[in-house]
């Protein structure tokens, strides 16, 4: 069964500092990987996705993520955080077959301090 | 291009009642998935509909049921509501069953319906 672990429940960073959110997945074959962001009371917005090819993926809002198969990780990074980045971030995994069940991690809540 | 829409935005029900939530998929998408997100948790997969048929289900009891219509919009029905059903219900639409030709099945989410069961 597929699973996602986000080990950090809550992270606080200063505005302008760099950010890395951790994600580890478990899946038997090549996974499809996603990062979504959720603002309070809102739905999920797709930040970026990895299907194949270049293991460094660029997304919206200046985010990037790197797929490391050997470590079963897909960490999200941003070089300089803005106050508007405060939100909850979810990593997700999906199989590459026809059935599209997406499994989410429990999320990391990001707080940005001025 | 119209995004995923859901109605209603908020709903209050009492235990034992039944509820129907609605979702309109993004233009060009033929797959709809439903998720339950309890407070402080990640979304949990309920089920998925592809071309009007259920083609996958998570660990939810049969009182959670759904429909997909010819225009690919969808309904989630929950019978005999329990207090633990209080959550944000998210609908996501995607194109195809998967594979890069179908856009990889990337799911785009609606804003959700917040259900409170008293």
């Amino acid at each position: 069964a597929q699973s996602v672990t986000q080990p950090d429940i809550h992270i606080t960073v200063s505005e302008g500092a760099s950010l890395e959110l951790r994600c580890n997945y478990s899946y038997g074959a090549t996974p499809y990987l996603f990062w979504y962001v959720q603002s309070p009371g809102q739905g999920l917005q797709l930040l970026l996705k990895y299907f194949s090819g270049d293991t460094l993926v660029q997304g919206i809002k200046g985010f990037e993520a790197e797929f490391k198969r050997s470590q079963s990780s897909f960490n999200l990074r941003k070089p300089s955080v803005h106050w508007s980045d405060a939100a909850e971030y979810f990593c997700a995994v999906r199989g590459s077959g026809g059935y599209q069940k997406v499994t989410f991690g429990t999320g990391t809540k990001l707080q940005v301090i001025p | 291009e119209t995004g995923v829409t859901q109605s209603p935005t908020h709903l209050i029900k009492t235990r034992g009642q039944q509820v129907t939530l609605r979702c309109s998929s993004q233009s060009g998408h033929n797959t709809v998935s439903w998720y339950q997100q309890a407070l402080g948790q990640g979304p949990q997969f309920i089920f998925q509909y592809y071309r009007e048929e259920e083609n996958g289900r998570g660990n939810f009891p049969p009182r959670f049921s759904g429909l997909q219509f010819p225009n690919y919009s969808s309904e989630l029905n929950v019978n005999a509501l329990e207090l633990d059903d209080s959550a944000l219900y998210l609908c996501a639409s995607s194109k195809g069953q998967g594979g890069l030709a179908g856009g990889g099945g990337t799911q785009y989410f609606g804003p959700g319906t917040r259900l409170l069961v008293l």
Side-chain angles (χ1 to χ4, degrees), chain A residues 4-8 11 19-25 33-36 47-50 55-59 62-69 71-79 89-92 108:
Chain A
V4 175
T5 301
Q6 294 181 248
D8 303 306
I11 282 184
L19 172 71
E20 182 169 28
L21 302 182
R22 295 183 291 166
C23 171
N24 291 96
Y25 69 90
L33 296 161
F34 307 84
W35 275 99
Y36 286 88
L47 285 177
L48 48 77
K49 60 188 177 186
Y50 172 79
T55 56
L56 185 62
V57 181
Q58 302 297 320
F63 286 93
E64 66 178 26
E66 186 171 12
F67 170 59
K68 293 186 177 179
R69 185 186 301 275
Q71 299 176 19
S72 297
S73 69
F74 188 57
N75 294 348
L76 182 70
R77 300 193 295 248
K78 186 169 185 178
Y89 292 79
F90 292 94
C91 181
T108 297

Side-chain angles (χ1 to χ4, degrees), chain A residues 6-42:
Chain A
Q6 294 181 248
D8 303 306
I9 297 172
H10 190 272
I11 282 184
T12 300
V13 300
S14 298
E15 191 169 14
S18 63
L19 172 71
E20 182 169 28
L21 302 182
R22 295 183 291 166
C23 171
N24 291 96
Y25 69 90
S26 174
Y27 185 71
T30 301
Y32 289 169
L33 296 161
F34 307 84
W35 275 99
Y36 286 88
V37 61
Q38 185 177 38
S39 298
Q42 301 297 312

Side-chain angles (χ1 to χ4, degrees), chain A residues 9 32 34 36 38 40-46 49 51-52 88 90 94-107 109, chain B residues 31 35 37 40-43 45 48 55-58 88 90 94-100 103-111 114:
Chain A
I9 297 172
Y32 289 169
F34 307 84
Y36 286 88
Q38 185 177 38
Q42 301 297 312
L44 299 170
Q45 182 183 21
L46 179 68
K49 60 188 177 186
F51 291 159
S52 66
E88 190 151 23
F90 292 94
R94 203 209 92 188
S96 53
Y99 178 35
Q100 293 184 23
K101 175 185 175 180
V102 178
T103 299
F104 286 83
T106 51
K109 189 165 290 187
Chain B
T31 302
Y35 294 83
Q37 185 179 18
Q41 301 295 316
F45 175 75
Q48 181 183 89
N55 75 335
R57 190 177 185 92
L88 180 67
L90 295 164
S94 54
K95 188 186 303 184
Q97 277 195 301
L100 294 179
T106 300
Q107 298 187 0
Y108 294 89
F109 285 79
R114 188 162 297 281

